[in-house]
Amino acid sequence: MIDQETIQRIMDAAHIEEVVGQFVSLKKRGANHIGCCPFHNEKTPSFYVSPSKGIFKCFGCGEAGDVVKFLMKHEHYTYPEALRWLAEKYHIEIQEEEMTDEQRERQTERDSLFHVSEFAQKYFADLLYNNEMGKAVGLSYFHHRGLSDETIKRFGLGYCLEEWSNFTDHALANGYSLPVLEKTGLTIVKEDTGKRYDRFRGRVMFPIYSISGRVLGFSGRILSSEKQAAKYVNSPDSDIYNKSRILYGLYQARTAIAKANKCYLVEGNVDVISMHQSGVENTVASCGTSLTVEQIRLIKRYTPNVTVLYDGDKAGIHAALRAVDMLFAEGMHVRLVLFPDGEDPDSYAQKYGSTALQEFLVSHEDNFVLYKTRVLLDEVKDDPIRRAGLLSETARTIALVTDLIERQEYIRQCSYLLKVSEDVLTHEVAKAINLNRERAISSKNEPTPAVAAQPEEQKPQEQAPLTEPTNLTSIAPPEVERHLVQLLLNHGDTMVSQTFTAEDGSTQQADYSVAQIIISDLRNDQLAFTHPLCQRIYEQCSLMLDISSHIDTSRFLNSDDSQLRSFAAGLMVDTYSVSSSWLKLKQIHIPTVEENLRQDLTDTLYTFKRLRLAQMVRSLSEQLQSADEDRQRQLLIEIKYYSDLSRKLGNALGQVIAPRFN
Ligand SMILES: [Zn+2]
């Protein structure tokens, strides 16, 4: 663990333009440096680095963050790895924080699991070439499957001898302890007899690597035709191995995936290896489990584009259809390739060769939604009841697509396939979207301010259901909200002197930070932002203020949520252009935000509140018409409250209520 002080020293020493400049060619433009974004393909630069703020932001793909985030994204480092890299570059000695005994013990145990796994991999790989049985059984099997020695070594393949405890005995003789061997699952100890034996005896071994190339576990395939034995056996979950968070082949595929901006998803280990050997290196498999959300997020670190490959039998198709819905729900772009009946990537490559495989993949890539619709349509035939089910099933899938243009295109094509009008399908999709949203809202148990809790306010009337994405954050926030959040992020800690009316009616003056003024003022009136990301930033700033009286913007720049990160960084980099468009809107000439911060703050707060209050009154009034008597009474009280507030606001123009913190 790196202590906080050292982290600060590293962050202070690091120059983001130097670090980014090592990977991207940058040109200076004004206060910023710009270049072509390394995270998406572009010819005209839209990637900005701001040395003064220590952040980068791409206005093309939205990627953004600070120097650590850049290294994590670009080099796929973990947080500590990125810090260590920077520490080395800027010659900063890392003070390791003292670990507690428990932490040290855990660390030691994890280390020993890693060590014994690595030891096992080396031993199994060695047997393949230097043991008679290893050569005769293991190696000849791999060669028979068409794998070259180069490929076998690249994937660290091996063989575990068909003897009860050959490996376990060898490991014990080399000083590894039985409890550790048991924890990795390499050794099984019989509870009743205490007899120990090798879990993987008589199997060819596929080591499973972490992203950084450490051996985490194994998958072993049996070669004998023993009937009771499972064809594949995998390591059990341990402190270092969690099958739902691992993709087979990702370590070998990750660079190719990022480069091709696409990931092929296949079913088995051998398919992965076979694809790699055929030159299609951007291929992974979820081994021993059906696809999980964690695995999808692993892929998403490298690319949003997934092509699912599977063989054409019925079970395969239905398994793939389920996986694809999950991929859509995670915002991935999904395509698929269907192999002819009885073929899989491995057999296809063996039969027709690498070039034919590559060509097949390109020419048979299919649009998933259309494919799914065709498959289901074929099964349903003309049964009217099942057809109705098919319509809502198709709508459900389309509703998962987050890209609006893509979604509209699917509606157009599927309504043609299903022989229904676009309106009918559009309506079904809208229903499915609303259902998803309700589920999302009810599963989110966050306390929301009174105002934000009114769903009518969150959905502006002028938006038809379909033009409103499931993902509300992709709508641009209103200018005034944007500007207010900008003031929070860029000037939150700046002190300004404020005149306010004290409780006894006298006028007083005091210094407050910009964040204190904004947050106490909005809290006082219980006002919330309409834009979800603005509201999240506001809530987090509010929390920071309560805890430390300081706005730590690095929390946003380092957030795991890429949308939030991108949004916050955009507001921080883009001060000039936003301010100018905002000033135009206000029709007030202010040279720069900094020079007239106080005036700007007062104006913005005033405008924000005026607009929000007007919106609320309007929305409540609209509800009046359809409300029952009880609800009407309630609504009238609320309308009166907000109208009064609005009137008071008009009277007190230019004044700010004294910040109150309890
Ligand atoms: Zn970009």
Side-chain angles (χ1 to χ4, degrees), residues 36-42 46-47 57-63:
C36 284
C37 177
F39 303 109
H40 81 285
N41 266 327
E42 62 175 8
S46 52
F47 180 80
K57 158 95 187 175
C58 171
F59 288 93
C61 66
E63 196 49 73

Side-chain angles (χ1 to χ4, degrees), residues 6 11 23 60 69 106 217 224 260 298 405 445 490 626 644 650 655:
T6 312
M11 296 306 283
F23 305 96
K69 203 81 214 177
R106 214 179 141 75
S224 73
L298 265 182
I405 297 170
N445 254 335
N490 290 320
S626 55
D644 285 351
Q655 281 196 19

Side-chain angles (χ1 to χ4, degrees), residues 473-654:
T473 48
S474 58
I475 303 173
E479 279 297 335
V480 61
E481 297 199 358
R482 213 181 139 86
H483 193 69
L484 203 51
V485 173
Q486 246 174 357
L487 284 169
L488 263 180
L489 291 175
N490 290 320
H491 306 285
D493 287 341
T494 313
M495 301 300 283
V496 292
S497 117
Q498 275 291 343
T499 312
F500 61 90
T501 317
E503 277 175 17
D504 62 4
S506 64
T507 307
Q508 298 188 4
Q509 211 173 31
D511 288 346
Y512 294 105
S513 76
V514 167
Q516 277 177 326
I517 293 170
I518 293 174
I519 289 165
S520 72
D521 203 6
L522 297 189
R523 269 185 195 170
N524 202 37
D525 292 341
Q526 298 199 328
L527 285 177
F529 291 78
T530 57
H531 190 266
L533 287 177
C534 288
Q535 177 65 15
R536 271 178 68 191
I537 292 177
Y538 164 73
E539 282 171 11
Q540 289 191 25
C541 284
S542 182
L543 212 63
M544 288 177 201
L545 204 62
D546 289 342
I547 292 166
S548 67
S549 323
H550 153 68
I551 303 297
D552 179 9
T553 48
S554 72
R555 294 279 291 278
F556 299 112
L557 298 173
N558 254 314
S559 165
D560 284 336
D561 180 335
S562 62
Q563 275 185 329
L564 182 67
R565 203 164 67 228
S566 169
F567 183 73
L571 293 185
M572 289 170 73
V573 170
D574 193 26
T575 42
Y576 174 70
S577 68
V578 172
S579 318
S580 59
S581 70
W582 162 241
L583 292 174
K584 238 183 278 155
L585 194 86
K586 285 197 302 183
Q587 296 185 313
I588 294 172
H589 173 75
I590 297 174
T592 68
V593 178
E594 275 82 359
E595 281 169 17
N596 287 289
L597 183 58
R598 194 191 326 143
Q599 189 58 44
D600 190 24
L601 177 63
T602 314
D603 287 351
T604 310
L605 261 175
Y606 172 73
T607 312
F608 174 79
K609 289 165 71 170
R610 191 171 52 77
L611 289 175
R612 285 297 284 132
L613 290 170
Q615 273 173 355
M616 312 257 302
V617 170
R618 196 171 57 231
S619 148
L620 292 169
S621 310
E622 275 163 9
Q623 290 175 49
L624 259 183
Q625 289 156 18
S626 55
D628 61 26
E629 216 172 295
D630 277 353
R631 178 76 183 130
Q632 277 188 351
R633 205 169 308 128
Q634 176 66 31
L635 284 168
L636 285 170
I637 294 170
E638 284 178 38
I639 291 173
K640 182 170 173 348
Y641 169 76
Y642 289 118
S643 308
D644 285 351
L645 212 57
S646 185
R647 200 165 317 114
K648 258 191 251 160
L649 189 67
N651 297 338
L653 175 56

Side-chain angles (χ1 to χ4, degrees), residues 234-472:
N234 293 316
S235 295
D237 279 0
S238 69
D239 271 2
I240 61 170
Y241 180 75
N242 180 335
K243 63 176 177 302
S244 62
R245 297 202 182 134
I246 291 166
L247 283 163
Y248 184 75
L250 187 58
Y251 168 61
Q252 290 87 353
R254 69 201 200 291
T255 318
I257 293 172
K259 205 168 155 209
N261 191 20
K262 174 196 248 178
C263 177
Y264 286 112
L265 192 63
V266 296
E267 286 178 80
N269 303 350
V270 180
D271 288 332
V272 170
I273 298 175
S274 192
M275 291 273 283
H276 278 250
Q277 188 169 286
S278 301
V280 190
E281 291 186 6
N282 47 334
T283 307
V284 300
S286 66
C287 60
T289 88
S290 47
L291 194 66
T292 65
V293 172
E294 285 97 341
Q295 290 169 338
I296 296 173
R297 290 184 183 154
L298 265 182
I299 299 176
K300 213 175 179 181
R301 283 168 69 164
Y302 302 91
T303 181
N305 303 309
V306 173
T307 299
V308 182
L309 312 189
Y310 56 93
D311 45 48
D313 66 41
K314 222 165 181 180
I317 291 174
H318 280 270
L321 293 186
R322 274 194 302 279
V324 172
D325 277 356
M326 286 177 72
L327 287 161
F328 269 119
E330 287 300 309
M332 308 288 276
H333 301 285
V334 192
R335 301 185 73 80
L336 65 88
V337 173
L338 176 67
F339 280 88
D341 228 355
E343 301 280 8
D344 55 33
D346 177 41
S347 67
Y348 197 93
Q350 295 228 26
K351 216 181 271 180
Y352 305 104
S354 306
T355 320
L357 175 70
Q358 292 180 23
E359 279 166 7
F360 183 84
L361 291 176
V362 173
S363 58
H364 286 72
E365 198 168 78
D366 204 351
N367 171 317
F368 167 73
V369 176
L370 292 182
Y371 175 76
K372 177 174 177 176
T373 310
R374 276 199 297 265
V375 168
L376 296 179
L377 197 59
D378 193 44
E379 287 176 7
V380 166
K381 298 276 186 328
D382 288 326
D383 183 337
I385 293 169
R386 293 186 66 195
R387 260 190 106 91
L390 172 59
L391 181 65
S392 55
E393 175 64 24
T394 305
R396 207 176 56 77
T397 302
I398 297 178
L400 294 172
V401 178
T402 46
D403 188 300
L404 284 184
I405 297 170
E406 215 176 310
R407 189 195 284 165
Q408 209 54 54
E409 187 59 21
Y410 285 141
I411 290 178
R412 199 179 62 73
Q413 294 173 336
C414 289
S415 59
Y416 176 75
L417 277 178
L418 294 171
K419 301 202 183 75
V420 297
S421 75
E422 279 182 42
D423 285 351
V424 169
L425 187 55
T426 300
H427 182 69
E428 284 294 319
V429 172
K431 261 182 13 198
I433 291 171
N434 279 329
L435 201 68
N436 288 346
R437 188 182 298 130
E438 274 162 28
R439 278 200 202 114
I441 290 169
S442 64
S443 70
K444 221 186 261 168
N445 254 335
E446 288 166 0
T448 35
V451 171
Q454 296 183 12
E456 290 77 6
E457 260 306 303
Q458 303 252 339
K459 288 183 261 172
Q461 302 290 336
E462 54 275 14
Q463 278 169 338
L466 260 180
T467 49
E468 184 190 351
T470 2
N471 193 350
L472 278 168

Side-chain angles (χ1 to χ4, degrees), residues 33-257:
H33 296 253
I34 70 166
C36 284
C37 177
F39 303 109
H40 81 285
N41 266 327
E42 62 175 8
K43 294 211 174 72
T44 40
S46 52
F47 180 80
Y48 282 70
V49 176
S50 161
S52 62
K53 298 209 165 78
I55 62 185
F56 72 92
K57 158 95 187 175
C58 171
F59 288 93
C61 66
E63 196 49 73
D66 63 8
V67 65
V68 172
K69 203 81 214 177
F70 178 84
L71 288 169
M72 288 169 72
K73 277 272 150 194
H74 196 270
E75 296 300 289
H76 306 292
Y77 288 150
T78 61
Y79 181 69
E81 282 168 358
L83 284 174
R84 278 171 219 279
W85 188 94
L86 287 170
E88 197 164 310
K89 179 175 169 74
Y90 290 101
H91 311 293
I92 291 165
E93 204 183 315
I94 289 193
Q95 301 286 339
E96 299 284 347
E97 207 170 70
E98 273 292 305
M99 285 193 281
T100 64
D101 285 350
E102 199 186 322
Q103 280 171 331
R104 195 176 296 119
E105 203 173 290
R106 214 179 141 75
Q107 182 65 36
T108 317
E109 188 175 304
R110 276 172 60 88
D111 279 348
S112 47
L113 293 184
F114 277 126
H115 285 144
V116 76
S117 303
E118 194 186 327
F119 172 80
Q121 187 274 323
K122 289 214 169 87
Y123 181 65
F124 296 141
D126 183 65
L127 288 177
L128 207 56
Y129 286 95
N130 298 314
N131 175 287
E132 283 314 311
M133 285 307 283
K135 276 193 277 192
V137 182
L139 189 61
S140 68
Y141 168 78
F142 286 131
H143 282 162
H144 178 71
R145 297 283 309 244
L147 302 185
S148 69
D149 289 327
E150 195 193 335
T151 302
I152 290 169
K153 285 185 178 135
R154 181 166 149 82
F155 284 87
L157 308 181
Y159 180 66
C160 183
L161 295 179
E162 180 124 40
E163 290 170 31
W164 276 103
S165 59
N166 171 280
F167 166 72
T168 302
D169 296 341
H170 179 67
L172 290 173
N174 276 271
Y176 293 95
S177 79
L178 193 59
V180 168
L181 284 163
E182 230 189 319
K183 278 195 179 114
T184 58
L186 285 160
T187 302
I188 295 173
V189 181
K190 279 262 188 204
E191 253 179 59
D192 43 356
T193 56
K195 194 171 155 39
R196 53 187 188 237
Y197 58 92
D198 297 345
R199 175 185 298 264
F200 294 103
R201 65 192 182 284
R203 289 172 183 267
V204 282
M205 301 296 286
F206 300 84
I208 294 158
Y209 294 93
S210 73
I211 296 177
S212 56
R214 302 189 82 169
V215 179
L216 303 174
F218 296 89
S219 180
R221 187 194 195 282
I222 198 145
L223 296 183
S224 73
S225 50
E226 204 183 314
K227 281 214 178 84
Q228 292 126 318
K231 193 166 154 198
Y232 278 97
V233 161
N234 293 316
S235 295
D237 279 0
S238 69
D239 271 2
I240 61 170
Y241 180 75
N242 180 335
K243 63 176 177 302
S244 62
R245 297 202 182 134
I246 291 166
L247 283 163
Y248 184 75
L250 187 58
Y251 168 61
Q252 290 87 353
R254 69 201 200 291
T255 318
I257 293 172

